[in-house]
Amino acid sequence: MKIPSSIWTLLIGIVLTLASLWYGQNHGLLPTAASDEAVLVDGLFNSMMTVSVGIFLIVEGVLIYSVFKYRRRAGDNEDGPPVEGNVPLEILWTAIPAIIVIGISVYSFDVYNEIGGFDPHAVHEAPINQSSMNMPGAAFAQRAGTALAATLTDTPPSNAPNLNQEKSDEAMQDSATAAVRNADQIPQLRNAPGVGSVAPTLGSSPDKAGQPASLAVNVTGLQYAWIFTYPETGITTGELHVPIGREVQINMTANDVIHAFWVPEFRLKQDAIPGRQSEIRFTPNKVGDYALICAELCGPYHGAMRSQVVVESQENFDKWMQEQLVASHETLNQAVAVNPANLTPDEFLAPYTKEMGIQPEILHQVHK
Ligand code: CUA
């Protein structure tokens, strides 16, 4: 009995679909999902993986099948049959990818929106001034919308409040943050367009409204370290500790060059830019230690610019915070105790030079 080709197509289609769906959910390529936002990103990634596996299997399957089925047989020296175009087929294989790509882009914009990428307060309506209308390309800029126009034309200084500056001032009210960020060295730029390569705010999910206030942490990126300050308690650390289940709001900037705050387990990444406040919010939902990685090439030691995010229970977090408070007071007291009076450098260094076997006279000569 000969099975008709339509049945074969149907069977192969079912097997391919099942295989793609299974692999899309079981690829095991992503690390643990440790934040509420991660679920959204994983959903998008898994969908794209499902589609990709389907296309991969179809393309490779047809290729391998054809290589065997239509290979040159012994004694066959003819040309292949001349195959002309097939309009319906070409329409079909143009339309299918177009639909897939549009579907994925709508889905990814939706995820971006869910995690706060299009936060309305971040969008800056840049006025298009008259002179820009006469510039070549102005019509294009106009069509492309205000976001692009803002980058193409010189907007005159406006009286509108600079949200970016306001946010920066807010963060600088914490003295620990001000000490870490080289105060008033880099003026805050005008508000950035909200839709672009970098959205100033990421992760403020609308469904978080009405929940306990988020924990604010000010983060400063510098070559080659991350420094965290907690405005609630005024402590400064090199490691980010956050309690589980509470939204964390990271206000970041950079002192020198662009860095990027990236925690793969949270599935979120945000640039830390000199002269601009950026924000990222997430709700950690799994206890553990995660690597915080700088994801922007920022210099020769970029690869070493890592830190740790410790997600812990509220009690452990409170305990850690207490320890930090005690430690910061102790360092302060020690610093005061070490140099009680105005010692000269020689007197101050005496205990150390003795330890190292250096004669005070030599040290004195070095000084002069
Ligand atoms: Cu900082 Cu790479």
Side-chain angles (χ1 to χ4, degrees):
M1 189 188 99
K2 194 174 184 302
I3 302 171
S5 67
S6 56
I7 301 287
W8 269 122
T9 315
L10 184 69
L11 283 178
I12 292 172
I14 291 172
V15 171
L16 280 184
T17 310
L18 290 178
S20 312
L21 284 172
W22 180 83
Y23 191 75
Q25 301 299 319
N26 297 284
H27 51 74
L29 292 172
L30 296 172
T32 334
S35 77
D36 289 354
E37 290 72 16
V39 185
L40 298 164
V41 178
D42 287 5
L44 175 63
F45 185 88
N46 292 350
S47 311
M48 289 200 288
M49 188 49 107
T50 305
V51 171
S52 313
V53 168
I55 293 175
F56 176 81
L57 290 178
I58 290 173
V59 171
E60 295 303 311
V62 168
L63 197 69
I64 292 168
Y65 173 80
S66 305
V67 161
F68 282 99
K69 171 93 179 170
Y70 303 109
R71 69 186 186 278
R72 193 171 70 89
R73 317 283 166 142
D76 176 8
N77 291 320
E78 283 174 58
D79 284 344
V83 177
E84 291 280 319
N86 184 333
V87 174
L89 186 62
E90 292 194 18
I91 289 175
L92 186 74
W93 72 33
T94 307
I96 292 175
I99 291 168
I100 292 175
V101 168
I102 290 169
I104 289 175
S105 50
V106 169
Y107 186 5
S108 49
F109 270 89
D110 184 55
V111 168
Y112 191 56
N113 186 33
E114 290 263 321
I115 61 175
F118 297 126
D119 196 346
H121 82 252
V123 179
H124 172 56
E125 289 290 324
I128 302 180
N129 58 5
Q130 202 51 47
S131 68
S132 72
M133 291 300 167
N134 306 325
M135 277 169 49
F140 167 70
Q142 222 186 329
R143 256 185 287 129
T146 45
L148 183 57
T151 64
L152 287 182
T153 62
D154 247 6
T155 336
S158 80
N159 296 325
N162 181 344
L163 289 176
N164 199 17
Q165 187 66 54
E166 279 172 22
K167 289 198 159 200
S168 167
D169 292 345
E170 212 178 278
M172 288 294 236
Q173 275 174 4
D174 171 39
S175 58
T177 303
V180 172
R181 297 183 180 179
N182 303 332
D184 65 48
Q185 278 205 342
I186 303 170
Q188 295 294 308
L189 304 176
R190 279 195 300 273
N191 307 319
V195 184
S197 57
V198 174
T201 65
L202 251 196
S204 49
S205 330
D207 62 320
K208 293 280 150 52
Q211 287 184 12
S214 51
L215 168 72
V217 184
N218 296 333
V219 175
T220 307
L222 45 107
Q223 287 169 321
Y224 297 93
W226 294 105
I227 309 221
F228 308 95
T229 53
Y230 290 75
E232 282 175 19
T233 47
I235 64 155
T236 305
T237 61
E239 209 178 62
L240 180 61
H241 281 240
V242 288
I244 188 169
R246 183 175 170 197
E247 190 187 53
V248 181
Q249 180 186 340
I250 302 272
N251 303 308
M252 61 182 126
T253 194
N255 280 2
D256 33 40
V257 297
I258 302 177
H259 304 275
F261 181 101
W262 180 40
V263 183
E265 283 81 359
F266 296 163
R267 309 284 193 274
L268 291 172
K269 184 159 71 174
Q270 177 66 285
D271 282 1
I273 305 169
R276 190 191 291 177
Q277 276 294 122
S278 47
E279 189 184 301
I280 194 168
R281 296 188 199 197
F282 52 84
T283 308
N285 60 14
K286 264 202 193 81
V287 169
D289 294 1
Y290 309 107
L292 161 58
I293 302 164
C294 175
E296 191 72 62
L297 183 59
C298 55
Y301 301 105
H302 153 72
M305 188 168 164
R306 282 166 161 258
S307 180
Q308 226 183 9
V309 183
V310 179
V311 178
E312 54 199 356
S313 63
Q314 185 69 47
E315 303 89 75
N316 286 354
F317 174 76
D318 292 340
K319 221 169 88 192
W320 173 82
M321 188 57 87
Q322 277 308 315
E323 283 164 13
Q324 295 302 309
L325 279 168
V326 170
S328 70
H329 282 140
E330 269 170 10
T331 1
L332 209 67
N333 292 340
Q334 266 170 20
V336 173
V338 161
N339 199 357
N342 289 331
L343 299 177
T344 67
D346 288 1
E347 287 164 334
F348 180 73
L349 288 172
Y352 306 99
T353 49
K354 211 169 175 184
E355 224 169 69
M356 291 187 286
I358 300 173
Q359 300 294 321
E361 296 76 35
I362 296 174
L363 189 72
H364 202 66
Q365 283 165 9
V366 173
H367 260 299
K368 300 283 135 101

